Amino acid sequence: MPRIDGDMSDWEIVPEDYIYGTDLLNDTEDGMGTDIPPEDLDVKVTIGWVKGMSRIYFKYEAYDDFWDFERFNPKGYLNDIFELVVDGDLSGGPFIKNPMYDQDELKWDPQTDAYIENHLNFSGVHAQNYHIYTPPVNNAWVLVWGSQPWISEFPRANYAYDFDFEHGESGTLQLEGWITPYDYAPHDGPQRAIESKLWENKVIGLSWSILDFDGGDRDGHVNLAHTVRMVSNASYLCSFKLMPLEDQFLEPIKAAWTYKVIDEEKGIVAFKDESVGKIDQWTWDFGNGDSSLVQDPIYRFEDKNVRTVITLEVKGPDGSSKRTRYWEVMIR
């Protein structure tokens, strides 16, 4: 798990083949295609996740021949921007402008550059768009293109920068941070929000674009999805698989398990082994004197409304490991 502190050294363990470079980007709006001169803009992006947490980590490293970040614009667009878009449950479809609304009947809000009803009821609710300022001098760190600015606040997001250039100069910027993807992110705050659940090998929608200003009009709008429609319609995002840890970072053997109550009335629970390593023996202790040697047992609890203490012990050529969970498997 990287520390979000502006020191990028903890990203050095990430292999080169996990890094997305400028050669994968396409300037579909301004006509440059994939011919993006590295002396003008050169980008490296690394994406990560941590098992058990609803966070997408990112590192953005970019060389720009002209960093633009001191001009004022009420809409907040005249700034170099790293635009990150995520669809945590791969639901797809538009998420900024709702085609089901009659646009002629909605009220336009010049401050948000959106229709009021459309903005509150639809924008950013099932997929989220982050306009991240690079760097955020005299500015918020991000403009959320949606109706839920609360998603950019800690502990739902975090960020840190490292750069040493002034406005108008060339140089390299490094940004690290994490965001929380949401299956449902209403405008009125996180109380009713539903975080996207992340697990190994899950596929999510994700992409990014870079808005490059050079002191005047926009110099380029390059993106990973090769279409600018990715910024408002999740169906155009790229598919990302959440990969498990590389073998070099795994413990030789470690017990782990999950469960699902499949019949609460009868007290039937399905247990699933998720241990790591070479394993040839599983021993389950259900906390009531009963046990099982099956890897993925289905067990019926006769007694209900009890606080269970359940342990899985695994053994293999590299040793043994136990995992106990207290009071979690509840049968009412």
Side-chain angles (χ1 to χ4, degrees), residues 74-145:
K75 295 181 180 179
Y77 296 157
L78 297 183
N79 197 114
D80 288 337
I81 287 174
F82 172 55
E83 185 175 9
L84 185 62
V85 186
V86 61
D87 178 16
D89 60 357
L90 207 65
S91 54
F95 63 93
I96 293 296
K97 185 178 290 186
N98 190 342
M100 300 300 292
Y101 280 112
D102 184 347
Q103 306 300 315
D104 294 333
E105 296 181 1
L106 299 176
K107 296 179 180 179
W108 180 264
D109 181 2
Q111 294 299 316
T112 61
D113 196 21
Y115 291 102
I116 295 174
E117 292 298 326
N118 194 39
H119 187 64
L120 292 179
N121 295 331
F122 186 77
S123 186
V125 171
H126 77 89
Q128 293 79 50
N129 180 311
Y130 299 76
H131 279 57
I132 303 174
Y133 296 115
T134 52
V137 176
N138 302 320
N139 225 339
W141 80 278
V142 63
L143 181 153
V144 173
W145 193 12

Side-chain angles (χ1 to χ4, degrees), residues 23-225:
D23 58 317
L24 298 175
L25 303 177
N26 195 316
D27 192 329
T28 52
E29 186 173 271
D30 297 306
M32 284 195 298
T34 55
D35 265 340
I36 303 166
E39 63 273 13
D40 178 19
L41 181 69
D42 195 14
V43 171
K44 295 179 180 178
V45 178
T46 309
I47 299 295
W49 73 294
V50 175
K51 187 175 180 179
M53 304 184 73
S54 295
R55 293 179 181 177
I56 299 297
Y57 284 82
F58 59 89
K59 178 192 174 191
Y60 173 68
E61 180 179 324
Y63 169 83
D64 194 355
D65 65 339
F66 187 110
W67 286 100
D68 196 334
F69 53 87
E70 284 191 348
R71 293 182 294 139
F72 175 74
N73 179 272
K75 295 181 180 179
Y77 296 157
L78 297 183
N79 197 114
D80 288 337
I81 287 174
F82 172 55
E83 185 175 9
L84 185 62
V85 186
V86 61
D87 178 16
D89 60 357
L90 207 65
S91 54
F95 63 93
I96 293 296
K97 185 178 290 186
N98 190 342
M100 300 300 292
Y101 280 112
D102 184 347
Q103 306 300 315
D104 294 333
E105 296 181 1
L106 299 176
K107 296 179 180 179
W108 180 264
D109 181 2
Q111 294 299 316
T112 61
D113 196 21
Y115 291 102
I116 295 174
E117 292 298 326
N118 194 39
H119 187 64
L120 292 179
N121 295 331
F122 186 77
S123 186
V125 171
H126 77 89
Q128 293 79 50
N129 180 311
Y130 299 76
H131 279 57
I132 303 174
Y133 296 115
T134 52
V137 176
N138 302 320
N139 225 339
W141 80 278
V142 63
L143 181 153
V144 173
W145 193 12
S147 62
Q148 50 292 104
W150 55 265
I151 67 174
S152 67
E153 300 168 358
F154 188 85
R156 292 168 286 277
N158 199 9
Y159 70 96
Y161 286 86
D162 181 32
F163 66 96
D164 61 0
F165 47 77
E166 300 293 333
H167 168 76
E169 294 181 347
S170 63
T172 298
L173 173 143
Q174 294 186 100
L175 157 70
E176 63 175 346
W178 50 262
I179 58 173
T180 304
Y182 289 90
D183 295 345
Y184 178 66
H187 73 276
D188 55 357
Q191 293 78 14
R192 298 185 299 116
I194 301 174
E195 294 182 2
S196 302
K197 295 187 182 300
L198 307 179
W199 59 82
E200 289 182 359
N201 297 314
K202 181 183 183 182
V203 178
I204 66 171
L206 185 73
S207 193
W208 51 85
S209 65
I210 294 94
L211 284 74
D212 184 22
F213 293 92
D214 282 1
D217 294 332
R218 188 164 60 206
D219 189 48
H221 187 179
V222 302
N223 65 83
L224 182 69

Side-chain angles (χ1 to χ4, degrees), residues 211-286:
L211 284 74
D212 184 22
F213 293 92
D214 282 1
D217 294 332
R218 188 164 60 206
D219 189 48
H221 187 179
V222 302
N223 65 83
L224 182 69
H226 292 197
T227 170
V228 293
R229 288 174 289 186
M230 56 147 279
V231 305
S232 60
N233 190 319
S235 294
Y236 296 99
L237 297 176
C238 301
S239 295
F240 273 70
K241 179 180 284 189
L242 304 179
M243 300 298 291
L245 282 174
E246 299 278 350
D247 289 344
Q248 68 192 81
F249 302 116
L250 296 175
E251 297 182 41
I253 186 167
K254 184 177 181 180
W257 56 273
T258 58
Y259 71 93
K260 183 178 182 180
V261 178
I262 58 177
D263 191 325
E264 188 165 27
E265 183 176 342
K266 295 181 179 179
I268 299 176
V269 180
F271 293 90
K272 181 174 177 56
D273 168 54
E274 294 191 351
S275 303
V276 173
K278 295 179 180 179
I279 299 168
D280 50 33
Q281 183 177 330
W282 296 263
T283 303
W284 294 84
D285 181 345
F286 298 115

